[in-house]
Amino acid sequence: MDEPEKYQFSDVARCKLCGECLSRCPELSLPLDQAKREKEKINKGEMSDWVSRICTGCFDCDYYCPNDAKPCETIVRCWYDDYKKNGLRERARYFMPLEPVNFRSYVTARLPQDEKKKLTGWDDTSTFEEFIYPGCNVCTVPYLTETSLLPGIPVRGGLDWCCGETFFRMGYFDLAEAQGKRMQARFGDMGAKEVLMMCTAGTVLFTVIMPERLGIKFDARFKPLVRYLWEELESGRIEVRRKLGLRATIQDSCYSKFLEPDYIELPRKILERIGIEVVEMPRSKENMVCCGIGAGFSMASNFNPIHLTLSTLKRIHEAKKTQADILCAYCAGCIQMLGVGSIFHPGALPIYHLLELVQMAASEEPARKIKQRARTMFIGTAVNQFPKLLSGSRFYPKPVVK
């Protein structure tokens, strides 16, 4: 297949230039006439830099489009074309999942010895039909798996077991495809049949993005952690020993919208079951916005730490305005990003992973190390990113997935 045709995931022919996508976008919120003009430019591959920078690749616009033209993929395709022409800015290297030194490896290299040992044990490719897949983000917080609520099956994963989400969402389609094939071969060699996914993004990559967009199919069945927790609570296998009596607002995963229609309601049903009242932020569910990490995904931003921090601070401020007691996320990446942002926001709500709250309701005490992990991640980003930011926007050749 010719390169211009290979990674065409949107259908510009379906676009009627109604402007709904960019007008309803919770980040852009453009006047309708301006939204129409900008979308016409995007369809021609002539996207404005400021639109590119503000877009977080959250896929909300795909759900607003009345013609199923997939406008988000049109935007990301522009990023792909830019990447193929110019390569990546130097500061993006630190956020590439398979680079020797990246924002996750900086943290894992500084884990306590017990968690380092746990992570080493996870990196096992011997035959396993059933296992827990932590995803890259949980590799920086292995303590989350220290609970009796998870099934008694092994955890298998590591930083190089990446699902390819960052590559795909940033428009590095060739790298996403290469990583998808790598994981397809690994799971096949392991004989994987049933995989419990601690990562919503990974669930979507393995069940939707890889098979439907890149033609990479897996033999295993993938169950997301959120669905598992709800089923365990419903069956009584997880017993609610105490109602928590809190009010929570929820940071949704950008990928929740790709799964079955009731998926985005499951975290809310779980919180209600354990005695937590949900107070929604104005931008939530299908109108959700990214935790902040997506503010660095575009070629115009390329992980500018200022853009990331400001985006996260806006989200923390929105959560604070709900007057909830806590901010809950079911993505380990979200709790880390929000944790880093809370360093700069003294009034930030306490941040909890959904699993931690279910632990508390089941009379287990979660480890609660998010603050120290957030500090480590921030230090790594400051050390590695701010010198590059000050030195300009140099480019480096595209990385290679071996």
Side-chain angles (χ1 to χ4, degrees), residues 49 52-53 79 82-96 99 170 172 296-304 307 384-385 388-389 391-399:
D49 278 354
S52 175
R53 190 186 71 72
W79 297 346
D82 193 339
Y83 144 70
K84 294 296 286 187
K85 180 180 178 181
N86 296 314
L88 306 175
R89 287 178 176 83
E90 176 65 27
R91 63 176 176 260
R93 183 190 295 272
Y94 186 61
F95 292 90
M96 292 295 97
E99 285 290 317
M170 292 178 71
Y172 312 142
F297 282 167
S298 75
M299 290 298 290
S301 177
N302 260 238
F303 286 99
N304 184 318
H307 296 163
N384 285 277
Q385 291 297 84
K388 296 182 179 71
L389 181 65
S391 65
S393 298
R394 295 173 296 173
F395 289 85
Y396 77 97
K398 70 184 182 73

Side-chain angles (χ1 to χ4, degrees), residues 111-115 118 140-144 146 335-336 351 356 366-376:
L111 291 174
Q113 286 303 314
D114 61 327
E115 290 188 71
K118 187 184 294 288
T140 64
V141 286
Y143 66 85
L144 277 180
E146 297 172 2
I335 66 168
Q336 290 161 8
I351 301 161
E356 293 177 312
R368 299 290 295 143
K369 299 180 183 180
I370 186 56
K371 287 186 177 180
Q372 69 179 63
R373 290 302 141 81
R375 284 193 294 268
T376 303

Side-chain angles (χ1 to χ4, degrees), residues 357-371:
L357 294 170
V358 178
Q359 281 183 268
M360 292 163 59
S363 294
E364 282 190 7
E365 288 300 320
R368 299 290 295 143
K369 299 180 183 180
I370 186 56
K371 287 186 177 180

Side-chain angles (χ1 to χ4, degrees), residues 195-237:
V195 183
L196 177 59
M197 303 290 294
M198 294 193 71
C199 174
T200 299
T203 307
V204 171
L205 262 289
F206 292 149
T207 63
V208 179
I209 301 296
M210 291 296 177
E212 294 183 5
R213 314 288 174 84
L214 298 172
I216 301 170
K217 299 182 180 180
F218 296 83
D219 292 331
R221 290 180 290 273
F222 300 96
K223 174 178 283 191
L225 175 67
V226 173
R227 167 104 22 219
Y228 165 82
L229 290 174
W230 175 246
E231 290 178 356
E232 294 297 291
L233 285 165
E234 277 277 83
S235 68
R237 289 187 291 271

Side-chain angles (χ1 to χ4, degrees), residues 1-12 43 73-74 77-78 80-81 84 173-174:
M1 185 181 295
D2 292 339
E3 179 67 15
E5 298 178 2
K6 186 173 185 181
Y7 300 118
Q8 292 288 357
F9 305 123
S10 60
D11 191 347
V12 174
N43 288 353
E73 283 81 341
T74 312
R77 173 68 196 210
C78 290
Y80 173 75
D81 291 339
K84 294 296 286 187
F173 300 134
D174 51 350

Side-chain angles (χ1 to χ4, degrees), residues 90-110:
E90 176 65 27
R91 63 176 176 260
R93 183 190 295 272
Y94 186 61
F95 292 90
M96 292 295 97
L98 302 181
E99 285 290 317
V101 178
N102 62 66
F103 75 117
R104 295 189 184 100
S105 69
Y106 185 91
V107 175
T108 58
R110 291 159 177 79

Side-chain angles (χ1 to χ4, degrees), residues 149-150 223 225-244 265-276 354-363:
L149 304 188
L150 295 175
K223 174 178 283 191
L225 175 67
V226 173
R227 167 104 22 219
Y228 165 82
L229 290 174
W230 175 246
E231 290 178 356
E232 294 297 291
L233 285 165
E234 277 277 83
S235 68
R237 289 187 291 271
I238 292 180
E239 183 181 353
V240 179
R241 297 179 180 273
R242 62 187 178 105
K243 299 282 188 174
L244 298 185
E265 295 295 337
L266 291 179
R268 292 155 173 84
K269 292 167 70 174
I270 289 170
L271 292 179
E272 182 182 358
R273 177 63 63 92
I274 62 178
I276 295 179
L354 180 65
L355 179 58
E356 293 177 312
L357 294 170
V358 178
Q359 281 183 268
M360 292 163 59
S363 294

